[in-house]
Amino acid sequence: MPLVDIHLLAGAFDAEEKKEMITKVTDTMVAIEGEAMRGVTWVRIIDVPSGQWGIGGKALTTEDIKALQAGG
Amino acid sequence: MPLVDIHLLAGAFDAEEKKEMITKVTDTMVAIEGEAMRGVTWVRIIDVPSGQWGIGGKALTTEDIKALQAGG
Amino acid sequence: MPLVDIHLLAGAFDAEEKKEMITKVTDTMVAIEGEAMRGVTWVRIIDVPSGQWGIGGKALTTEDIKALQAGG
Amino acid sequence: MPLVDIHLLAGAFDAEEKKEMITKVTDTMVAIEGEAMRGVTWVRIIDVPSGQWGIGGKALTTEDIKALQAGG
Amino acid sequence: MPLVDIHLLAGAFDAEEKKEMITKVTDTMVAIEGEAMRGVTWVRIIDVPSGQWGIGGKALTTEDIKALQAGG
Amino acid sequence: MPLVDIHLLAGAFDAEEKKEMITKVTDTMVAIEGEAMRGVTWVRIIDVPSGQWGIGGKALTTEDIKALQAGG
């Protein structure tokens, strides 16, 4: 306790960014809950395949995310 | 809000059927919650590998599902 | 198989609407997967407490959803 | 996309701390993924009742967490 | 690692049975994975409210489960 | 009902061990809930990719688990 699950569209972020999410989200949680909780703070990355995450009925692709990040 | 997660045995349905699930389940939800909610209605497909979904202790394979669909 | 989890903000929908979601989402799934799958099609409603669902860092309340449904 | 689920033992954190988790974890994610993603970044708090979260077979209570935070 | 989530219909099992599930499922997992993994084996109980778990479109109540357990 | 999800780091256990987890966790659950519940007891294995399961901010690899099992 706690457990944090970060769900991402597969391919939208690379291994380095995923690692950074694990490290920084852990630090953010520990800053609130107390340093003594670090060892029992679990943060996981869950991938959802491209085309299997729908918003408003439209299935997102990795390309859609890249366009959105670029300011689209 | 809302978020709908559809868990399927991998290989039991093809990309076209998955896309149809996202579209039609979104439409079904929006018909109940109101059209104004469409943009924040997320529907995702989560795959569980063949052999990793047990019913009554027996691990289903994609072939079991195909047989069940065929009326078995 | 399949399993469908519908996540809602608690209080945004009443018992009748939740029941309708279970019935109609089941029917939608069965229409795609085949009638033989009805008995193993599970649809669940998962409640998330008001104030615990954040979008863009802002925690939604049941009132926000009601306003959104009203066309806000 | 993305969706972040923060699972907590009910009673271990108050409403203010939960709100802070939503705000700060959102900011941490947006700092990595890009500001353009803020509107589609969802962060939720999921409560697990006291006594229903087991570590090594021992069910944690809210008091166990308080003791752990205090340096126990 | 590992994490085991046991989803139950609320009211179908009492606190003693839930505690037994946490203890015995942990023991079952540790017997397979090795005793050294006990401390990082988490087992949780997740409650789903009565009336919010549909099978074949019919929402189960706690009474349905009691009848099923009785051999119904 | 019930549904049990066993989350594992991908690669830490082989197909035979996963099958054993499904069989034995089902038996453990049925011993508590009653034999009549076997047919509606679902047990699934969910894989999390190596490097995507963080404990205390450190992303576990399959090798870490093997070392831990060996008594490390």
Side-chain angles (χ1 to χ4, degrees):
Chain A
M1 210 291 308
L3 170 71
V4 181
D5 281 343
I6 301 172
H7 300 242
L8 303 175
L9 196 72
F13 300 96
D14 62 26
E16 205 50 49
E17 289 166 316
K18 287 176 176 182
K19 200 173 169 183
E20 192 182 353
M21 287 176 187
I22 289 177
T23 311
K24 294 199 172 162
V25 169
T26 301
D27 288 347
T28 301
M29 289 298 297
V30 168
I32 298 170
E33 68 198 13
E35 187 61 36
M37 301 291 290
R38 183 178 293 272
V40 287
T41 298
W42 290 9
V43 177
R44 308 188 305 174
I45 305 282
I46 312 295
D47 299 308
V48 175
S50 182
Q52 297 191 187
W53 192 314
I55 295 189
K58 184 187 173 306
L60 288 178
T61 60
T62 307
E63 287 67 39
D64 294 323
I65 300 298
K66 297 289 183 195
L68 183 58
Q69 287 179 306
Chain B
M1 210 287 310
L3 170 72
V4 181
D5 281 344
I6 302 171
H7 299 243
L8 303 175
L9 197 71
F13 299 97
D14 62 25
E16 204 50 50
E17 288 167 315
K18 288 177 176 179
K19 198 173 169 182
E20 194 182 351
M21 287 175 186
I22 290 177
T23 310
K24 293 200 173 161
V25 169
T26 301
D27 288 346
T28 301
M29 289 297 296
V30 168
I32 298 169
E33 68 198 14
E35 187 61 37
M37 300 292 289
R38 182 178 293 272
V40 287
T41 298
W42 289 10
V43 177
R44 308 188 306 173
I45 305 282
I46 312 295
D47 298 308
V48 175
S50 183
Q52 296 191 189
W53 192 315
I55 295 189
K58 183 187 175 305
L60 290 178
T61 59
T62 307
E63 288 68 38
D64 295 324
I65 299 298
K66 297 290 184 193
L68 183 58
Q69 287 179 307
Chain C
M1 212 291 307
L3 170 72
V4 181
D5 282 344
I6 302 172
H7 299 243
L8 303 175
L9 196 72
F13 300 96
D14 62 26
E16 205 50 48
E17 289 166 316
K18 287 176 176 180
K19 199 172 168 182
E20 194 182 352
M21 286 175 187
I22 289 177
T23 310
K24 293 199 173 160
V25 169
T26 301
D27 288 346
T28 301
M29 288 298 296
V30 168
I32 298 170
E33 69 199 14
E35 188 59 39
M37 300 292 289
R38 182 178 293 272
V40 287
T41 299
W42 290 10
V43 178
R44 309 188 306 173
I45 306 282
I46 311 295
D47 299 308
V48 175
S50 182
Q52 296 190 188
W53 192 314
I55 295 189
K58 184 187 173 306
L60 288 179
T61 59
T62 307
E63 288 67 38
D64 294 325
I65 299 299
K66 297 289 183 193
L68 182 58
Q69 286 179 308
Chain D
M1 210 290 307
L3 170 72
V4 181
D5 281 344
I6 302 172
H7 299 243
L8 303 175
L9 196 72
F13 300 97
D14 62 25
E16 204 50 48
E17 289 167 316
K18 286 176 176 180
K19 200 172 166 183
E20 193 183 351
M21 287 175 186
I22 290 176
T23 311
K24 293 198 173 162
V25 169
T26 301
D27 288 347
T28 301
M29 288 297 297
V30 168
I32 298 169
E33 68 200 14
E35 188 59 38
M37 300 292 289
R38 182 177 293 272
V40 288
T41 299
W42 290 11
V43 178
R44 308 188 306 172
I45 305 282
I46 312 294
D47 299 309
V48 175
S50 183
Q52 297 191 187
W53 191 315
I55 295 189
K58 183 186 174 307
L60 289 179
T61 60
T62 307
E63 287 69 38
D64 294 325
I65 299 298
K66 296 289 183 194
L68 182 58
Q69 287 179 306
Chain E
M1 209 293 304
L3 170 72
V4 181
D5 281 344
I6 302 172
H7 300 242
L8 303 175
L9 197 72
F13 300 97
D14 61 26
E16 204 50 48
E17 289 167 315
K18 287 177 176 178
K19 199 173 169 183
E20 194 182 352
M21 287 175 187
I22 289 177
T23 311
K24 293 197 174 162
V25 169
T26 301
D27 288 347
T28 301
M29 288 298 296
V30 168
I32 298 169
E33 68 198 13
E35 187 61 37
M37 300 292 289
R38 183 178 292 273
V40 287
T41 299
W42 291 11
V43 178
R44 309 188 304 172
I45 305 281
I46 311 295
D47 299 309
V48 175
S50 182
Q52 296 191 187
W53 192 314
I55 295 189
K58 184 187 173 305
L60 289 178
T61 60
T62 307
E63 289 67 39
D64 294 324
I65 299 298
K66 297 289 182 192
L68 183 58
Q69 286 178 307
Chain F
M1 210 290 309
L3 170 71
V4 181
D5 281 343
I6 302 172
H7 299 242
L8 303 174
L9 196 72
F13 300 97
D14 62 25
E16 205 50 49
E17 289 166 315
K18 287 176 176 180
K19 199 173 169 183
E20 194 183 352
M21 287 176 187
I22 289 177
T23 310
K24 293 199 173 161
V25 169
T26 301
D27 288 347
T28 301
M29 288 298 296
V30 168
I32 298 170
E33 68 198 14
E35 187 61 36
M37 300 291 290
R38 182 177 293 272
V40 287
T41 298
W42 289 10
V43 178
R44 308 188 304 173
I45 305 282
I46 312 295
D47 299 309
V48 175
S50 183
Q52 296 191 187
W53 193 315
I55 294 189
K58 184 187 174 305
L60 290 178
T61 60
T62 307
E63 287 68 38
D64 295 323
I65 299 299
K66 297 288 184 195
L68 183 58
Q69 287 179 308

